[in-house]
Structures are given as structure tokens and as C-alpha cells.
Amino acid sequence: MDANSPKPAHRFVPSGPLTGTIRVPGDKSISHRALLFGALALGRSRISGLLEGEDVLATAAALRAMGAKIERDGEDWVVDGVGVGTLLQPHGALDMGNSGTSTRLLMGLLASHGITAAFTGDASLSKRPMGRVIEPLSRMGATFTPSPGGTLPLMMEGLQPAIPIEYRLPVASAQVKSAVLLAGLNTPGTTTVIEPVPTRDHTERMLRGFGVDLHVEEVNGAKHISLTGPCDLRPCDIEVPGDPSSAAFFAVAASIVPGSDLVIENVGMNPTRDGIYRVLAQMGANIEKRNERTIGGEPVVDLRVRHAELKGIEVDPAIAPAMIDEFPVLFIAAAMAQGTTVTTGLEELRVKESDRLTAMAAALALAGAQTEERADGLLIHGSGGKPFSGGGPVRTHLDHRIAMSMAVAGLASESGVAVDSIDPIATSFPNFMELLDEVMA
Ligand code: S3P
């Protein structure tokens, strides 16, 4: 996406009750990993429920450029992997679009392969820090030439065989954890990641599914995750559950639009991802979990969400890693709650697809909400259920989650909320607009 090209603004109009039964697309994090590990297994893996968003398709394109065969087969996707250690040198730059996850995980994968690669991305991705993966991967022997500030466009050269490391994560980041573990797969010896603050554990769960002997132990409250390479991955069939981050937009929408009663089926409820649902419950949301089950090694539920009067709370910063992508939409819920919501410890939000604290403070103000931006969070004075006055167009800064959060605000507004572009939504939730029409009908 080109940040400078003019895009038509879109106005999200006020809505009556949201009703019906929907399914959101597959989990973005799990989809990336299913493709990556499938490409590293020797033989054919089959994936059902893969998210066909632009971010995941960027991962698929890069893996194809390095020799994996990845194709849609009816409703499923099949991946014919090349095995660990035998990726091919790509011809041409790897275009990562808007996707930080594709970039950082692939950098990890390439770090222990004898491959030289160039990574490029859109204007949003080209501002995001890559130093956090460059640092540990350099210790493993890879070399990097990033743009000034440690960003994309970037050239890297992997080292084969790479050097195993023990790495303590300085930031709570599943992407950094996964990058180091991916590099470890083709590194002789034991690679260990020490995680003081738990982050999403899809990499650990799925590597075991692909037959990797992963050791996880807790030492003084920190998680030590080790694998001994080189590892063989055996192909595997994967069912990707619905994305709890995508479901959150509909859960908040149904919570704030009076009269709503909406069922969202097949939502992943991994405890490292379910923070938004725990916080909404603390705010008084009426969200019932039904049909708890396990799919592809991940907990899954159906959610029934009914409108409720929400109350403002102080959000415990310790829950942030389990809902790191859901703060923009939580801010919408907070703006409709009774009383003040305080969030702290959210510096990481400033280096997501946009600076989500500044972007959301500006967007909420344009829509008529009262917010105060702090260095590490937002303070939001809720309206006590009174709809947003509405307005815009708000700037989405190429950030899908800003666009969808403000869409939700528009549903609970007097005059609608306009966003500068809905194009970014396709990175993670290609049928968002269709589902919105469906639940509003
Ligand atoms: C992701 C990890 C998180 C999250 C991102 C997806 C992943 O990023 O924000 O959307 O799939 O590993 P960080 O690792 O930067 O926290």
C-alpha cells in the first residue's frame, strides 16, 4: 500500500442492534506459523481455515520464492515443504507489505540459512524497529544492512551453520521469541529463549505438532524454551481457529450497540491471547463462552455477546501482552463506558502498524470522545453509554486495527464516523465489511 496515494474515505453509519451468528477468519498468528513450519517440513501439510489476508499471503509469497509449494486446494491450503536447511536463494526482494510478523519471523528463518535476501515493505512497516530481531540474530552469525534507524528496506545474509545462543527477551515479543526459535531449527546445538513475561505461545504449540522436541521449563518465574538443532519437521494437518483479535471488533460492537445479541463461533481462546475478553468481563460486558473445545492444539469457544452497560476500569498493565493488538478496540469500549478507564504500560503500542496511542487519541477526539494521551497509555472519560457524536475522516495511518476500531465507533455514533481508507483492513480481515453488513441487517 502506498501511503501517499489518495484513497476514498468511508463513513461507518450508526447501527441498530447487531444480531445473528458469524465466524471470523482464521487466526493471523497461527496462519503465518502454519505456512512457515509447513514450508520447513519435508512433505505435504494441509491447512484448513487459513487466513487469506494480505499479511499471510506475503508470508506465503516469500516462502514460495524460497522453494516451497503453497497452493489453495478447494477450501484448504496445501504446503509442500522443502525441509530445514534447504531453502533456496530468492530472486528479487521479499515484499512484506504491511506485515511485521512476516518480516521478523522470516528474518529468523533466513538467519541460519546460507541465503542473502532483501526485505521491503510499505510506508508503515518501513518505520517499524527491526533492531529487536537484528540483535539476537546477529549473535547467531547473520549479518544485516538495515536502513538508518534499523528499519526496512534491509539486506541480510544468513550463516549456515549458525551459532546457538541463549537469549533473554528484553521486550515482551512473540515475534522476537519466534524469530530466534526459527533460526534455532537449522542451528547445530541448543538454542534457548528466556521469556520473563509470557507472550502468545503459538510457535511452541505448533512446533511440537510438527514433531520438534521442544523443552519448556519455568525458572524463577521466567519461561525457558529450548530446542536442539538441526531439527526435522514432519508434515502435519492444521486447523486454524478463528482469530480472537478479529472477533474482538464484533464483541465490542455488540457490547456497545443497544439491543445487540450476537454469536461469534469458533474463536481461539488461547490464554496468551484472551486478555480483551477478561478485561471486557471486568468492565461488565455480557459475553458468554460456550462449547469450549480444543482444535489443532488451541482452546476454542463460541461467544454469545449481548449489549451491556460497561463501566470504566484501571487496566492491569500485566495483562497487556495477552491483548496487545486489542487496545484500539478496548479504547472504543472505554469511551462508551460509565466512568474513566486508565491504561498504562503500553509503550509497545507506539511501534505497531502505527503509533496506536497517538493515532487512537486523535481518532477518538475527532469522533467526539474525551481522551488524554500519556506517555504509556490513554486515559478515557467514558460517555456512560451516550453514542459518539461522530465525525472524521480519521487518519488510519495504514493501520487495519485503527480502521476497524473506528468502524465500531461509527456503529455507536449519532452521525457516523468516517475513516480515510478501509484498504488496510484487508491485511488481517478481508471480509470485515461483508460481516458487518450481515450483523447489521
Ligand atoms: C504477533 C505478535 C505480536 C502482535 C502481532 C502478531 C505474532 O507482536 O502484535 O500482531 O504473530 O507473533 P509483538 O511480538 O511485536 O508483540
Side-chain angles (χ1 to χ4, degrees), residues 12-14 252-253 256-257 329 332 335-336 360 363-364 367 387-390 403-414 416-417:
F12 290 93
V13 296
V252 169
I256 64 174
V257 174
V329 78
I332 303 300
M336 287 286 289
M360 281 304 295
L364 282 162
F388 292 88
S389 51
M404 290 185 278
S405 299
M406 296 317 294
V408 173
L411 305 180
S413 70
E414 280 160 6
V417 171

PDB file of all heavy atoms in Angstrom, residues 12-14 252-253 256-257 329 332 335-336 360 363-364 367 387-390 403-414 416-417:
ATOM      1  N   PHE A  12     -18.688   4.991   8.398  1.00  0.00           N
ATOM      2  CA  PHE A  12     -19.405   3.904   9.073  1.00  0.00           C
ATOM      3  C   PHE A  12     -20.607   4.522   9.780  1.00  0.00           C
ATOM      4  O   PHE A  12     -20.457   5.398  10.629  1.00  0.00           O
ATOM      5  CB  PHE A  12     -18.478   3.188  10.050  1.00  0.00           C
ATOM      6  CG  PHE A  12     -17.422   2.379   9.345  1.00  0.00           C
ATOM      7  CD1 PHE A  12     -16.176   2.929   9.075  1.00  0.00           C
ATOM      8  CD2 PHE A  12     -17.691   1.091   8.898  1.00  0.00           C
ATOM      9  CE1 PHE A  12     -15.209   2.199   8.398  1.00  0.00           C
ATOM     10  CE2 PHE A  12     -16.727   0.352   8.213  1.00  0.00           C
ATOM     11  CZ  PHE A  12     -15.485   0.905   7.967  1.00  0.00           C
ATOM     12  N   VAL A  13     -21.786   4.056   9.401  1.00  0.00           N
ATOM     13  CA  VAL A  13     -23.019   4.711   9.842  1.00  0.00           C
ATOM     14  C   VAL A  13     -23.539   4.078  11.132  1.00  0.00           C
ATOM     15  O   VAL A  13     -23.221   2.937  11.450  1.00  0.00           O
ATOM     16  CB  VAL A  13     -24.103   4.623   8.733  1.00  0.00           C
ATOM     17  CG1 VAL A  13     -23.660   5.393   7.502  1.00  0.00           C
ATOM     18  CG2 VAL A  13     -24.407   3.170   8.377  1.00  0.00           C
ATOM     19  N   PRO A  14     -24.366   4.836  11.870  1.00  0.00           N
ATOM     20  CA  PRO A  14     -24.956   4.289  13.097  1.00  0.00           C
ATOM     21  C   PRO A  14     -25.756   3.024  12.789  1.00  0.00           C
ATOM     22  O   PRO A  14     -26.333   2.904  11.722  1.00  0.00           O
ATOM     23  CB  PRO A  14     -25.888   5.412  13.566  1.00  0.00           C
ATOM     24  CG  PRO A  14     -25.438   6.640  12.857  1.00  0.00           C
ATOM     25  CD  PRO A  14     -24.763   6.220  11.601  1.00  0.00           C
ATOM     26  N   VAL A 252     -16.865  -6.100  20.865  1.00  0.00           N
ATOM     27  CA  VAL A 252     -17.045  -4.742  21.404  1.00  0.00           C
ATOM     28  C   VAL A 252     -18.255  -4.078  20.744  1.00  0.00           C
ATOM     29  O   VAL A 252     -19.077  -3.446  21.414  1.00  0.00           O
ATOM     30  CB  VAL A 252     -15.763  -3.895  21.215  1.00  0.00           C
ATOM     31  CG1 VAL A 252     -16.030  -2.417  21.521  1.00  0.00           C
ATOM     32  CG2 VAL A 252     -14.644  -4.418  22.116  1.00  0.00           C
ATOM     33  N   ALA A 253     -18.404  -4.266  19.440  1.00  0.00           N
ATOM     34  CA  ALA A 253     -19.542  -3.645  18.739  1.00  0.00           C
ATOM     35  C   ALA A 253     -20.860  -4.103  19.359  1.00  0.00           C
ATOM     36  O   ALA A 253     -21.734  -3.283  19.677  1.00  0.00           O
ATOM     37  CB  ALA A 253     -19.488  -3.997  17.254  1.00  0.00           C
ATOM     38  N   ILE A 256     -21.561  -2.541  22.797  1.00  0.00           N
ATOM     39  CA  ILE A 256     -21.896  -1.111  22.939  1.00  0.00           C
ATOM     40  C   ILE A 256     -23.130  -0.677  22.149  1.00  0.00           C
ATOM     41  O   ILE A 256     -23.642   0.412  22.386  1.00  0.00           O
ATOM     42  CB  ILE A 256     -20.697  -0.187  22.584  1.00  0.00           C
ATOM     43  CG1 ILE A 256     -20.278  -0.309  21.114  1.00  0.00           C
ATOM     44  CG2 ILE A 256     -19.513  -0.457  23.504  1.00  0.00           C
ATOM     45  CD1 ILE A 256     -19.187   0.695  20.693  1.00  0.00           C
ATOM     46  N   VAL A 257     -23.599  -1.504  21.208  1.00  0.00           N
ATOM     47  CA  VAL A 257     -24.807  -1.104  20.452  1.00  0.00           C
ATOM     48  C   VAL A 257     -26.031  -1.704  21.150  1.00  0.00           C
ATOM     49  O   VAL A 257     -26.178  -2.930  21.232  1.00  0.00           O
ATOM     50  CB  VAL A 257     -24.729  -1.576  18.981  1.00  0.00           C
ATOM     51  CG1 VAL A 257     -26.039  -1.281  18.264  1.00  0.00           C
ATOM     52  CG2 VAL A 257     -23.560  -0.904  18.264  1.00  0.00           C
ATOM     53  N   VAL A 329      -9.446  -1.259  20.077  1.00  0.00           N
ATOM     54  CA  VAL A 329     -10.892  -1.501  20.199  1.00  0.00           C
ATOM     55  C   VAL A 329     -11.341  -1.446  21.661  1.00  0.00           C
ATOM     56  O   VAL A 329     -12.489  -1.063  21.956  1.00  0.00           O
ATOM     57  CB  VAL A 329     -11.314  -2.803  19.467  1.00  0.00           C
ATOM     58  CG1 VAL A 329     -10.984  -4.051  20.259  1.00  0.00           C
ATOM     59  CG2 VAL A 329     -12.803  -2.751  19.110  1.00  0.00           C
ATOM     60  N   ILE A 332     -12.419   1.994  22.385  1.00  0.00           N
ATOM     61  CA  ILE A 332     -13.784   2.297  21.939  1.00  0.00           C
ATOM     62  C   ILE A 332     -14.785   1.885  23.023  1.00  0.00           C
ATOM     63  O   ILE A 332     -15.700   2.637  23.371  1.00  0.00           O
ATOM     64  CB  ILE A 332     -14.101   1.562  20.608  1.00  0.00           C
ATOM     65  CG1 ILE A 332     -13.086   1.944  19.523  1.00  0.00           C
ATOM     66  CG2 ILE A 332     -15.538   1.832  20.159  1.00  0.00           C
ATOM     67  CD1 ILE A 332     -13.024   3.399  19.172  1.00  0.00           C
ATOM     68  N   ALA A 335     -14.625   4.329  25.837  1.00  0.00           N
ATOM     69  CA  ALA A 335     -15.237   5.632  25.544  1.00  0.00           C
ATOM     70  C   ALA A 335     -16.750   5.589  25.707  1.00  0.00           C
ATOM     71  O   ALA A 335     -17.393   6.622  25.855  1.00  0.00           O
ATOM     72  CB  ALA A 335     -14.859   6.078  24.132  1.00  0.00           C
ATOM     73  N   MET A 336     -17.341   4.399  25.681  1.00  0.00           N
ATOM     74  CA  MET A 336     -18.795   4.255  25.858  1.00  0.00           C
ATOM     75  C   MET A 336     -19.167   3.829  27.277  1.00  0.00           C
ATOM     76  O   MET A 336     -20.345   3.662  27.597  1.00  0.00           O
ATOM     77  CB  MET A 336     -19.321   3.194  24.872  1.00  0.00           C
ATOM     78  CG  MET A 336     -19.367   3.646  23.432  1.00  0.00           C
ATOM     79  SD  MET A 336     -20.714   4.812  23.132  1.00  0.00           S
ATOM     80  CE  MET A 336     -22.128   3.720  23.261  1.00  0.00           C
ATOM     81  N   MET A 360      -5.001   6.654  18.055  1.00  0.00           N
ATOM     82  CA  MET A 360      -6.324   6.452  18.655  1.00  0.00           C
ATOM     83  C   MET A 360      -6.764   7.688  19.450  1.00  0.00           C
ATOM     84  O   MET A 360      -7.961   8.001  19.476  1.00  0.00           O
ATOM     85  CB  MET A 360      -6.350   5.197  19.536  1.00  0.00           C
ATOM     86  CG  MET A 360      -6.467   3.902  18.762  1.00  0.00           C
ATOM     87  SD  MET A 360      -7.907   3.782  17.639  1.00  0.00           S
ATOM     88  CE  MET A 360      -9.291   3.825  18.787  1.00  0.00           C
ATOM     89  N   ALA A 363      -8.063   9.933  16.782  1.00  0.00           N
ATOM     90  CA  ALA A 363      -9.292   9.403  16.170  1.00  0.00           C
ATOM     91  C   ALA A 363     -10.474   9.526  17.129  1.00  0.00           C
ATOM     92  O   ALA A 363     -11.576   9.939  16.739  1.00  0.00           O
ATOM     93  CB  ALA A 363      -9.079   7.942  15.771  1.00  0.00           C
ATOM     94  N   LEU A 364     -10.239   9.200  18.392  1.00  0.00           N
ATOM     95  CA  LEU A 364     -11.322   9.288  19.379  1.00  0.00           C
ATOM     96  C   LEU A 364     -11.774  10.735  19.558  1.00  0.00           C
ATOM     97  O   LEU A 364     -12.972  11.013  19.671  1.00  0.00           O
ATOM     98  CB  LEU A 364     -10.851   8.716  20.723  1.00  0.00           C
ATOM     99  CG  LEU A 364     -10.827   7.184  20.801  1.00  0.00           C
ATOM    100  CD1 LEU A 364      -9.958   6.711  21.964  1.00  0.00           C
ATOM    101  CD2 LEU A 364     -12.243   6.633  20.950  1.00  0.00           C
ATOM    102  N   ALA A 367     -13.981  11.739  16.796  1.00  0.00           N
ATOM    103  CA  ALA A 367     -15.299  11.097  16.879  1.00  0.00           C
ATOM    104  C   ALA A 367     -16.120  11.625  18.047  1.00  0.00           C
ATOM    105  O   ALA A 367     -17.277  11.247  18.225  1.00  0.00           O
ATOM    106  CB  ALA A 367     -15.133   9.589  16.985  1.00  0.00           C
ATOM    107  N   PRO A 387     -23.969   7.744  22.682  1.00  0.00           N
ATOM    108  CA  PRO A 387     -23.196   7.476  21.460  1.00  0.00           C
ATOM    109  C   PRO A 387     -22.150   8.554  21.184  1.00  0.00           C
ATOM    110  O   PRO A 387     -22.286   9.704  21.611  1.00  0.00           O
ATOM    111  CB  PRO A 387     -24.263   7.487  20.366  1.00  0.00           C
ATOM    112  CG  PRO A 387     -25.561   7.296  21.052  1.00  0.00           C
ATOM    113  CD  PRO A 387     -25.414   7.829  22.449  1.00  0.00           C
ATOM    114  N   PHE A 388     -21.117   8.175  20.440  1.00  0.00           N
ATOM    115  CA  PHE A 388     -20.139   9.146  19.926  1.00  0.00           C
ATOM    116  C   PHE A 388     -20.903  10.173  19.093  1.00  0.00           C
ATOM    117  O   PHE A 388     -21.852   9.800  18.395  1.00  0.00           O
ATOM    118  CB  PHE A 388     -19.143   8.448  18.996  1.00  0.00           C
ATOM    119  CG  PHE A 388     -18.225   7.468  19.674  1.00  0.00           C
ATOM    120  CD1 PHE A 388     -18.589   6.134  19.838  1.00  0.00           C
ATOM    121  CD2 PHE A 388     -16.983   7.879  20.143  1.00  0.00           C
ATOM    122  CE1 PHE A 388     -17.734   5.225  20.448  1.00  0.00           C
ATOM    123  CE2 PHE A 388     -16.121   6.968  20.755  1.00  0.00           C
ATOM    124  CZ  PHE A 388     -16.502   5.644  20.912  1.00  0.00           C
ATOM    125  N   SER A 389     -20.475  11.445  19.144  1.00  0.00           N
ATOM    126  CA  SER A 389     -21.171  12.407  18.275  1.00  0.00           C
ATOM    127  C   SER A 389     -20.901  12.063  16.813  1.00  0.00           C
ATOM    128  O   SER A 389     -21.767  12.200  15.953  1.00  0.00           O
ATOM    129  CB  SER A 389     -20.736  13.843  18.604  1.00  0.00           C
ATOM    130  OG  SER A 389     -19.331  13.918  18.608  1.00  0.00           O
ATOM    131  N   GLY A 390     -19.682  11.595  16.530  1.00  0.00           N
ATOM    132  CA  GLY A 390     -19.340  11.206  15.155  1.00  0.00           C
ATOM    133  C   GLY A 390     -18.526  12.279  14.473  1.00  0.00           C
ATOM    134  O   GLY A 390     -18.373  13.395  14.974  1.00  0.00           O
ATOM    135  N   ALA A 403      -8.566   1.347  11.619  1.00  0.00           N
ATOM    136  CA  ALA A 403      -9.739   1.413  10.727  1.00  0.00           C
ATOM    137  C   ALA A 403     -10.913   0.639  11.328  1.00  0.00           C
ATOM    138  O   ALA A 403     -12.049   1.151  11.394  1.00  0.00           O
ATOM    139  CB  ALA A 403      -9.375   0.867   9.356  1.00  0.00           C
ATOM    140  N   MET A 404     -10.656  -0.594  11.774  1.00  0.00           N
ATOM    141  CA  MET A 404     -11.778  -1.403  12.291  1.00  0.00           C
ATOM    142  C   MET A 404     -12.296  -0.891  13.629  1.00  0.00           C
ATOM    143  O   MET A 404     -13.497  -0.952  13.900  1.00  0.00           O
ATOM    144  CB  MET A 404     -11.356  -2.874  12.379  1.00  0.00           C
ATOM    145  CG  MET A 404     -11.194  -3.502  11.005  1.00  0.00           C
ATOM    146  SD  MET A 404     -10.849  -5.276  11.044  1.00  0.00           S
ATOM    147  CE  MET A 404      -9.080  -5.271  11.336  1.00  0.00           C
ATOM    148  N   SER A 405     -11.413  -0.373  14.465  1.00  0.00           N
ATOM    149  CA  SER A 405     -11.875   0.184  15.743  1.00  0.00           C
ATOM    150  C   SER A 405     -12.793   1.373  15.504  1.00  0.00           C
ATOM    151  O   SER A 405     -13.841   1.513  16.151  1.00  0.00           O
ATOM    152  CB  SER A 405     -10.673   0.624  16.594  1.00  0.00           C
ATOM    153  OG  SER A 405      -9.852  -0.483  16.862  1.00  0.00           O
ATOM    154  N   MET A 406     -12.417   2.233  14.549  1.00  0.00           N
ATOM    155  CA  MET A 406     -13.243   3.413  14.296  1.00  0.00           C
ATOM    156  C   MET A 406     -14.534   3.038  13.560  1.00  0.00           C
ATOM    157  O   MET A 406     -15.540   3.736  13.675  1.00  0.00           O
ATOM    158  CB  MET A 406     -12.436   4.489  13.561  1.00  0.00           C
ATOM    159  CG  MET A 406     -11.258   5.030  14.374  1.00  0.00           C
ATOM    160  SD  MET A 406     -11.603   5.354  16.146  1.00  0.00           S
ATOM    161  CE  MET A 406     -12.777   6.703  16.029  1.00  0.00           C
ATOM    162  N   ALA A 407     -14.504   1.911  12.834  1.00  0.00           N
ATOM    163  CA  ALA A 407     -15.745   1.389  12.256  1.00  0.00           C
ATOM    164  C   ALA A 407     -16.722   1.056  13.378  1.00  0.00           C
ATOM    165  O   ALA A 407     -17.910   1.398  13.325  1.00  0.00           O
ATOM    166  CB  ALA A 407     -15.447   0.135  11.428  1.00  0.00           C
ATOM    167  N   VAL A 408     -16.196   0.415  14.425  1.00  0.00           N
ATOM    168  CA  VAL A 408     -17.033   0.046  15.571  1.00  0.00           C
ATOM    169  C   VAL A 408     -17.588   1.316  16.241  1.00  0.00           C
ATOM    170  O   VAL A 408     -18.768   1.388  16.601  1.00  0.00           O
ATOM    171  CB  VAL A 408     -16.230  -0.816  16.576  1.00  0.00           C
ATOM    172  CG1 VAL A 408     -17.017  -1.056  17.851  1.00  0.00           C
ATOM    173  CG2 VAL A 408     -15.829  -2.142  15.922  1.00  0.00           C
ATOM    174  N   ALA A 409     -16.743   2.340  16.342  1.00  0.00           N
ATOM    175  CA  ALA A 409     -17.218   3.607  16.927  1.00  0.00           C
ATOM    176  C   ALA A 409     -18.353   4.181  16.085  1.00  0.00           C
ATOM    177  O   ALA A 409     -19.341   4.703  16.628  1.00  0.00           O
ATOM    178  CB  ALA A 409     -16.059   4.605  17.017  1.00  0.00           C
ATOM    179  N   GLY A 410     -18.234   4.079  14.777  1.00  0.00           N
ATOM    180  CA  GLY A 410     -19.272   4.608  13.884  1.00  0.00           C
ATOM    181  C   GLY A 410     -20.629   3.969  14.126  1.00  0.00           C
ATOM    182  O   GLY A 410     -21.670   4.634  14.060  1.00  0.00           O
ATOM    183  N   LEU A 411     -20.622   2.673  14.434  1.00  0.00           N
ATOM    184  CA  LEU A 411     -21.892   1.964  14.665  1.00  0.00           C
ATOM    185  C   LEU A 411     -22.628   2.550  15.863  1.00  0.00           C
ATOM    186  O   LEU A 411     -23.858   2.560  15.909  1.00  0.00           O
ATOM    187  CB  LEU A 411     -21.637   0.475  14.931  1.00  0.00           C
ATOM    188  CG  LEU A 411     -20.842  -0.300  13.881  1.00  0.00           C
ATOM    189  CD1 LEU A 411     -20.690  -1.751  14.302  1.00  0.00           C
ATOM    190  CD2 LEU A 411     -21.525  -0.222  12.527  1.00  0.00           C
ATOM    191  N   ALA A 412     -21.849   3.005  16.860  1.00  0.00           N
ATOM    192  CA  ALA A 412     -22.438   3.553  18.086  1.00  0.00           C
ATOM    193  C   ALA A 412     -22.281   5.070  18.087  1.00  0.00           C
ATOM    194  O   ALA A 412     -21.818   5.656  19.056  1.00  0.00           O
ATOM    195  CB  ALA A 412     -21.746   2.936  19.303  1.00  0.00           C
ATOM    196  N   SER A 413     -22.637   5.722  16.965  1.00  0.00           N
ATOM    197  CA  SER A 413     -22.474   7.175  16.885  1.00  0.00           C
ATOM    198  C   SER A 413     -23.780   7.820  16.434  1.00  0.00           C
ATOM    199  O   SER A 413     -24.689   7.131  15.968  1.00  0.00           O
ATOM    200  CB  SER A 413     -21.359   7.519  15.885  1.00  0.00           C
ATOM    201  OG  SER A 413     -21.785   7.215  14.573  1.00  0.00           O
ATOM    202  N   GLU A 414     -23.828   9.146  16.578  1.00  0.00           N
ATOM    203  CA  GLU A 414     -25.026   9.870  16.133  1.00  0.00           C
ATOM    204  C   GLU A 414     -25.008  10.126  14.632  1.00  0.00           C
ATOM    205  O   GLU A 414     -26.006   9.979  13.954  1.00  0.00           O
ATOM    206  CB  GLU A 414     -25.141  11.190  16.903  1.00  0.00           C
ATOM    207  CG  GLU A 414     -25.721  10.972  18.288  1.00  0.00           C
ATOM    208  CD  GLU A 414     -25.408  12.108  19.244  1.00  0.00           C
ATOM    209  OE1 GLU A 414     -24.827  13.135  18.823  1.00  0.00           O
ATOM    210  OE2 GLU A 414     -25.744  11.953  20.432  1.00  0.00           O
ATOM    211  N   GLY A 416     -22.294   9.007  12.456  1.00  0.00           N
ATOM    212  CA  GLY A 416     -21.348   8.173  11.712  1.00  0.00           C
ATOM    213  C   GLY A 416     -19.916   8.628  11.926  1.00  0.00           C
ATOM    214  O   GLY A 416     -19.656   9.748  12.350  1.00  0.00           O
ATOM    215  N   VAL A 417     -18.979   7.713  11.667  1.00  0.00           N
ATOM    216  CA  VAL A 417     -17.557   8.026  11.778  1.00  0.00           C
ATOM    217  C   VAL A 417     -16.910   7.677  10.441  1.00  0.00           C
ATOM    218  O   VAL A 417     -17.065   6.556   9.943  1.00  0.00           O
ATOM    219  CB  VAL A 417     -16.889   7.228  12.925  1.00  0.00           C
ATOM    220  CG1 VAL A 417     -15.369   7.391  12.881  1.00  0.00           C
ATOM    221  CG2 VAL A 417     -17.422   7.690  14.291  1.00  0.00           C
TER     222      VAL A 417
END
